[in-house]
């Protein structure tokens, strides 16, 4: 079993700009690839966990999301980082699925597909939903104030997030995880 860092997408890996149906709309946050490469070097699998309800709402297609993800993978690879998986919820909120964050379903899918030890894993995200989903899966969350993070900060703290687990961005989140991690086996 391997440990993982789960990554929210919008507002965490790339700038929060609303629905992204076109790869041209994807803007990776500064320092993301280098931060992910450091986590991978420490023995963490890197797994994106993202709600993409625009598919279920009929705003754009699964193929469009796949094209956005192809660009995400390519840009991170150009910076020296390789993702181990991307797990997405395509459902609308009213579908009542078990994978839309704050439900933990995507974490459980990733665990089963990739053999991940959730108790040894982390999640980086910018919303209260990310934090709740991680906790429901038994994964420790770290909260970034990019994306919706500044807006949701008070609610995240009120929900029990330790203040030390609130950091400015993905690079700072990676640094915090590495500082608290045992060396890779
Ligand atoms: Mg987000
Ligand atoms: Zn779902």
């Amino acid at each position: 079993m391997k440990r993982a860092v789960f990554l929210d997408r919008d507002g965490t890996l790339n700038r929060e700009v609303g629905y992204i149906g076109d790869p041209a709309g994807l803007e990776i946050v500064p320092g993301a690839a280098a931060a992910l490469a450091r986590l991978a070097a420490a023995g963490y699998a890197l797994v994106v966990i993202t709600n993409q309800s625009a598919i279920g709402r009929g705003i754009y297609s699964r193929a469009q999301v796949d094209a956005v993800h192809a660009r995400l993978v390519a840009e991170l690879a150009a910076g020296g980082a390789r993702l181990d998986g991307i797990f997405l919820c395509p459902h609308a909120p009213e579908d009542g699925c078990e994978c839309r964050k704050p439900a933990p379903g995507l974490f459980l899918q990733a665990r089963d597909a990739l053999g991940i030890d959730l108790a040894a894993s982390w999640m980086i995200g910018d919303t209260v939903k990310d934090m709740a989903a991680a906790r429901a899966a038994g994964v420790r969350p770290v909260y970034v104030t990019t994306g919706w993070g500044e807006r949701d900060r008070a609610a995240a703290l009120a929900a029990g997030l330790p203040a030390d687990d609130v950091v400015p961005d993905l690079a700072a989140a990676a640094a915090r995880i590495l500082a608290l991690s045992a060396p890779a086996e």
Side-chain angles (χ1 to χ4, degrees):
M1 295 245 287
K2 51 194 153 181
R3 56 188 186 178
V5 175
F6 294 98
L7 303 149
D8 171 54
R9 198 192 85 180
D10 301 322
T12 301
L13 274 177
N14 54 275
R15 211 157 75 79
E16 171 60 63
V17 293
Y19 295 131
I20 302 175
D22 182 327
L26 190 77
E27 186 184 331
I28 308 287
V29 302
L36 298 187
R38 287 194 292 276
L39 290 169
Y44 285 106
L46 303 172
V47 182
V48 174
I49 294 281
T50 179
N51 286 352
Q52 293 299 324
S53 68
I55 300 171
R57 298 176 205 264
I59 295 170
Y60 48 66
S61 68
R62 174 62 193 254
Q64 285 174 278
V65 177
D66 289 344
V68 170
H69 287 164
R71 173 163 171 169
L72 175 68
V73 165
E75 290 210 5
L76 292 175
R82 189 179 62 82
L83 298 176
D84 294 276
I86 300 176
F87 292 80
L88 67 85
C89 167
H91 305 112
E94 59 270 23
D95 292 341
C97 70
E98 294 177 354
C99 48
R100 179 174 164 80
K101 297 177 284 186
L106 294 177
F107 292 86
L108 306 181
Q109 288 178 25
R111 175 197 65 191
D112 294 346
L114 303 174
I116 288 168
D117 178 1
L118 295 177
S121 297
W122 299 77
M123 200 260 170
I124 304 173
D126 70 317
T127 67
V128 173
K129 273 184 200 165
D130 292 323
M131 304 297 99
R135 284 211 180 101
V139 170
R140 179 166 169 182
V142 176
Y143 186 85
V144 291
T145 56
T146 49
W148 297 117
E150 203 56 63
R151 181 197 71 174
D152 276 8
R153 181 203 295 254
L157 293 169
L161 185 76
D164 285 349
D165 288 342
V166 177
V167 298
D169 61 14
L170 181 64
R176 175 151 181 79
I177 290 167
L178 292 170
L180 294 173
S181 297
E185 288 168 12

